[in-house]
Amino acid sequence: MNNLSSQSCEACQIDSPKVSLDQIETLLLEISDWVLVKEPINKLEKVFSFESYKESVDFTNRVVSLAEEEDHHPQIILEWGKVTVIWWSHKIEGLHRNDFICSSKTDLLY
């Protein structure tokens, strides 16, 4: 288990600081195959592949349970044979350490 996956999310307020670009580069090294998506809002995205729709749904349900436990909720795109998970912090319109924690924990569900 890496350092991020052993942590829990903290309450994110509207004035919570976004992670800096230097912090993003460092934290990305701790989460495998997650992509930094630079839209108007920075987000973390990863596509998970499966052999069946049921496996995709089961994984989605595990991510939903994680989101509820951490009180931090991603965008989830469910398709046959794949699930795309996108983490970012809505309140601060960008990336918070919570997003990296949840990305790491999502990997453990796969």
Side-chain angles (χ1 to χ4, degrees), residues 10-68:
E10 62 182 54
C12 186
Q13 306 300 322
I14 199 155
D15 60 347
S16 295
K18 296 177 188 175
V19 291
S20 69
L21 291 177
D22 287 341
Q23 290 170 316
I24 289 172
E25 289 177 13
T26 300
L27 290 166
L28 277 172
L29 297 174
E30 294 189 46
I31 52 175
S32 179
D33 300 320
W34 286 84
V35 176
L36 174 63
V37 177
K38 295 180 181 179
E39 297 177 352
I41 298 172
N42 286 340
K43 300 177 181 182
L44 297 173
E45 179 178 304
K46 186 171 181 178
V47 177
F48 296 86
S49 298
F50 299 92
E51 296 292 321
S52 70
Y53 187 71
K54 182 177 181 342
E55 289 178 22
S56 299
V57 170
D58 291 344
F59 177 74
T60 298
N61 287 331
R62 291 192 301 274
V63 174
V64 168
S65 292
L66 168 66
E68 286 295 297

